[in-house]
Amino acid sequence: MNAEIAVFVMFGVGLFVLTSVAQWNKDLTVEEIFAAGRDVGAVHGTMSIMATWTAATAILVAGQVTYQMGLAGLFWFTLPNALGLMLFAPVAVKVRKMQPDGFTIAQLFDAESSLMYALATVFSFVRSFLPLVSAVVGGSALLTEFTSLSTLATTGLVVGTILSYSLISGLSASILTDVVQ
């Protein structure tokens, strides 16, 4: 095993151990798995949203725009993303008040219209699936470039690492690993 693979394995094991220790004495309820117990603080929540919304694609595009247009390009790429996050916060607070026990945006539309519920469900799935594919492809391409492993093997490593710590505690594990990253 070369050094690059060893570093990736240690990183994955470290995230697994970290999430295991953080969840040691907690009961895993539906609320804990899907909504992180509904007690995520502002700092951890903000760090997680920034890490999640600033996907690999956005980071690469920011670098490209800055290279092509200088600091002005970086500013005009970053500003709309920051504004999007700031505009999302009040909407999230309002949705939380309207649906205090909900887990998805689709549940908000469930009482109003079954068509809106179906559309929100499809939109949420696609909106979640595409960044996941982007992250897995980007992560496996990066690992393939720096190791002697095949793309199939590195894809398995990336998916296995994320899945292993996510199965421990769901959203709490995702937020914790976002904060670490």
Side-chain angles (χ1 to χ4, degrees), residues 70-133:
L71 290 178
L74 178 62
F75 174 77
W76 287 113
F77 178 80
T78 306
L79 181 67
N81 288 304
L83 285 174
L85 288 172
M86 287 186 260
L87 293 173
F88 175 75
V91 173
V93 170
K94 184 170 182 158
V95 168
R96 173 85 168 155
K97 287 179 182 173
M98 293 170 64
Q99 194 79 359
D101 297 325
F103 293 109
T104 66
I105 293 293
Q107 287 176 317
L108 186 64
F109 297 113
D110 190 25
E112 301 296 323
S113 161
S114 58
L115 175 62
M116 287 301 296
Y117 177 77
L119 289 173
T121 301
V122 169
F123 177 78
S124 295
F125 175 78
V126 171
R127 174 64 184 93
S128 298
F129 185 72
L130 293 177
L132 175 68
V133 170

Side-chain angles (χ1 to χ4, degrees), residues 139-163:
S140 64
L142 188 65
L143 282 174
T144 300
E145 186 65 32
F146 290 110
T147 66
S148 58
L149 297 174
S150 69
T151 302
L152 183 62
T154 57
T155 300
L157 279 172
V158 169
V159 170
T161 300
I162 296 167
L163 188 60

Side-chain angles (χ1 to χ4, degrees), residues 19-20 24 35 39-40 47 51 59 72-73 79 83 92 109 111 126 128 133 147-148 170 173 175 180:
T19 54
S20 297
W24 190 258
D39 64 353
V40 177
M47 292 172 80
I59 292 171
L79 181 67
L83 285 174
F109 297 113
V126 171
S128 298
V133 170
T147 66
S148 58
I175 291 170
V180 168

